[in-house]
Amino acid sequence: MEKKKRIVIALGGNALGNTLPEQMKAVKITSRAIVDLIEEGCEVVVAHGNGPQVGMVNNAMIALTHEDPQQPNTPLSVCVAMSQAYIGYDLQNALREELLNRGIEDIPVATMITQVRVDPDDPAFQTPSKPIGRFLTKEQADLMAEKYDYIMKEDAGRGYRRVVASPKPQEIIEIGTIRTMVNSGDLVIACGGGGIPVTRQGNHLKGASAVIDKDFASCLLAKELDADFLIILTAVEKAAINYGKPGEKWLDDITVDEAKQYIEEGHFAPGSMLPKVQAAVEFAESKPGRQALITLLEKAKDGILGKTGTRIHL
């Protein structure tokens, strides 16, 4: 019997919606695309972002401190944990339902609340750049900075937002349990929102005020699980060079070296396509035979079959 292809899928925000009702609808579509891959004979592990969701949780926790002065401010690491749990709840229910609808009854689905260790000396902590939460006026931003010691930055003329560090993931704390579950045939949802950022202090894991890029966390997860494929889902079918400019070219099949050259030439936007291509390159070059794919959610199956998407390999 041929060994199943092991795939780690990194779901972007567009696969989850921006509100609870949107998420309930979005995960049904997402689940269909994931179960399509399972029907193709793939073994799937799911990771996801949490951009809108962690901002929503953070705002709700701040509102609570305004209502009840006795309530302390909720650390960002706890907000990430909350977002992991409620996204996982919707995703695992939708996946279970889709599997049963197709007569697949032997694949348990479970969410692992996942901590990811970061380096407290990561340079990202010196230059926080990842915006979270809603837009505020200058007065509101100054109040938040004074009250909670938040770093607030003006965002493209739209108002002020809190910015936090985005350090690189170093270690997935629960990887042993995740590996055991995956090896036993479970469909596992892990590293939600890039993982709960923690630093090690002896035997204690302390939550960090940061968010980890979900593409880099998914790359680490894929390497640790010895996956064959890392699929990074995004809002376009393929990556491109000269995107939106004269000479625009959609990329189909490229080597790691070609991808690195395009990165060097500045073809991919920071905070958008750049981290996706960087994570794809990191995975593809980590071991012969590993491939990364960047494509749309609904094109994931076609991508695995070689029909579309940007495929990166050695």
Side-chain angles (χ1 to χ4, degrees), residues 28-39:
K28 290 185 181 298
I29 298 163
T30 300
S31 295
R32 288 199 286 272
I34 291 169
V35 178
D36 281 347
L37 291 172
I38 291 169
E39 285 195 325

Side-chain angles (χ1 to χ4, degrees), residues 24-100:
M24 295 285 280
K25 288 181 185 174
V27 293
K28 290 185 181 298
I29 298 163
T30 300
S31 295
R32 288 199 286 272
I34 291 169
V35 178
D36 281 347
L37 291 172
I38 291 169
E39 285 195 325
E40 280 297 316
C42 299
E43 193 177 68
V44 179
V45 183
V46 180
H48 61 80
N50 69 345
Q53 295 85 359
V54 77
M56 186 174 74
V57 171
N58 190 53
N59 290 342
M61 293 299 101
I62 289 170
L64 180 62
T65 65
H66 292 163
E67 287 178 19
D68 181 358
Q70 300 303 311
Q71 285 285 349
N73 191 36
T74 305
L76 185 56
S77 56
V78 175
C79 294
V80 174
M82 289 177 173
S83 72
Q84 278 191 3
Y86 94 74
I87 293 169
Y89 162 60
D90 276 351
L91 256 180
Q92 70 187 30
N93 274 355
L95 284 164
R96 178 181 177 276
E97 184 177 337
E98 187 64 29
L99 286 164
L100 293 176

Side-chain angles (χ1 to χ4, degrees), residues 258-306:
E258 287 171 325
K260 285 181 176 177
Q261 183 184 335
Y262 295 144
I263 290 170
E264 189 73 23
E265 291 169 357
H267 284 288
F268 309 117
S272 177
M273 187 57 77
L274 179 60
K276 292 171 174 51
V277 177
Q278 288 173 324
V281 165
E282 186 179 324
F283 177 72
E285 71 178 351
S286 63
K287 186 178 176 181
R290 289 179 176 171
Q291 297 183 54
L293 179 73
I294 298 172
T295 195
L296 284 166
L297 170 69
E298 55 269 30
K299 298 285 186 177
K301 178 180 166 183
D302 284 344
I304 283 294
L305 296 174

Side-chain angles (χ1 to χ4, degrees), residues 299-313:
K299 298 285 186 177
K301 178 180 166 183
D302 284 344
I304 283 294
L305 296 174
K307 295 178 182 177
T308 192
T310 300
R311 190 179 292 238
I312 300 174
H313 54 85

Side-chain angles (χ1 to χ4, degrees), residues 1-309:
M1 182 177 164
E2 189 183 352
K3 179 179 173 287
K4 289 184 175 182
K5 279 195 180 77
R6 179 170 288 182
I7 295 171
V8 170
I9 294 182
L11 298 175
N14 57 325
L16 298 170
N18 290 306
T19 64
L20 281 171
E22 279 183 22
Q23 182 170 295
M24 295 285 280
K25 288 181 185 174
V27 293
K28 290 185 181 298
I29 298 163
T30 300
S31 295
R32 288 199 286 272
I34 291 169
V35 178
D36 281 347
L37 291 172
I38 291 169
E39 285 195 325
E40 280 297 316
C42 299
E43 193 177 68
V44 179
V45 183
V46 180
H48 61 80
N50 69 345
Q53 295 85 359
V54 77
M56 186 174 74
V57 171
N58 190 53
N59 290 342
M61 293 299 101
I62 289 170
L64 180 62
T65 65
H66 292 163
E67 287 178 19
D68 181 358
Q70 300 303 311
Q71 285 285 349
N73 191 36
T74 305
L76 185 56
S77 56
V78 175
C79 294
V80 174
M82 289 177 173
S83 72
Q84 278 191 3
Y86 94 74
I87 293 169
Y89 162 60
D90 276 351
L91 256 180
Q92 70 187 30
N93 274 355
L95 284 164
R96 178 181 177 276
E97 184 177 337
E98 187 64 29
L99 286 164
L100 293 176
N101 286 346
R102 301 197 200 186
I104 303 171
E105 300 181 0
D106 59 345
I107 300 181
V109 189
T111 300
M112 171 59 67
I113 302 301
T114 314
Q115 301 173 94
V116 174
R117 183 179 62 80
V118 297
D119 183 350
D121 295 323
D122 190 303
F125 283 108
Q126 304 306 315
T127 53
S129 60
K130 195 86 167 180
I132 65 161
R134 61 193 177 93
F135 291 97
L136 302 172
T137 64
K138 177 77 165 65
E139 292 73 22
Q140 290 170 320
D142 289 344
L143 184 64
M144 298 293 273
E146 184 182 343
K147 190 171 182 181
Y148 301 121
D149 203 25
Y150 286 175
I151 297 170
M152 310 297 293
K153 284 190 180 174
E154 200 273 334
D155 189 332
R158 295 176 292 178
Y160 287 77
R161 292 177 82 189
R162 180 187 179 189
V163 291
V164 298
S166 185
K168 279 291 201 72
Q170 302 297 323
E171 176 191 5
I172 298 167
I173 302 299
E174 287 78 18
I175 191 62
T177 307
I178 295 166
R179 190 181 287 117
T180 299
M181 293 167 71
V182 172
N183 288 344
S184 69
D186 292 9
L187 171 47
V188 181
I189 301 156
C191 291
I196 303 162
V198 294
T199 57
R200 194 188 298 282
Q201 298 182 346
N203 289 332
H204 176 63
L205 294 172
K206 178 179 170 56
S209 185
V211 290
I212 301 167
D213 186 283
K214 69 101 174 45
D215 296 315
F216 289 120
S218 300
C219 170
L220 180 58
L221 180 63
K223 289 194 289 187
E224 289 286 350
L225 294 175
D226 196 22
D228 302 292
F229 263 96
L230 170 64
I231 304 181
I232 297 176
L233 299 173
T234 185
V236 290
E237 191 167 338
K238 299 176 184 180
I241 55 173
N242 298 314
Y243 182 67
K245 301 174 186 171
E248 179 180 87
K249 178 188 173 189
W250 297 99
L251 302 171
D252 299 312
D253 193 278
I254 59 172
T255 65
V256 162
D257 287 342
E258 287 171 325
K260 285 181 176 177
Q261 183 184 335
Y262 295 144
I263 290 170
E264 189 73 23
E265 291 169 357
H267 284 288
F268 309 117
S272 177
M273 187 57 77
L274 179 60
K276 292 171 174 51
V277 177
Q278 288 173 324
V281 165
E282 186 179 324
F283 177 72
E285 71 178 351
S286 63
K287 186 178 176 181
R290 289 179 176 171
Q291 297 183 54
L293 179 73
I294 298 172
T295 195
L296 284 166
L297 170 69
E298 55 269 30
K299 298 285 186 177
K301 178 180 166 183
D302 284 344
I304 283 294
L305 296 174
K307 295 178 182 177
T308 192

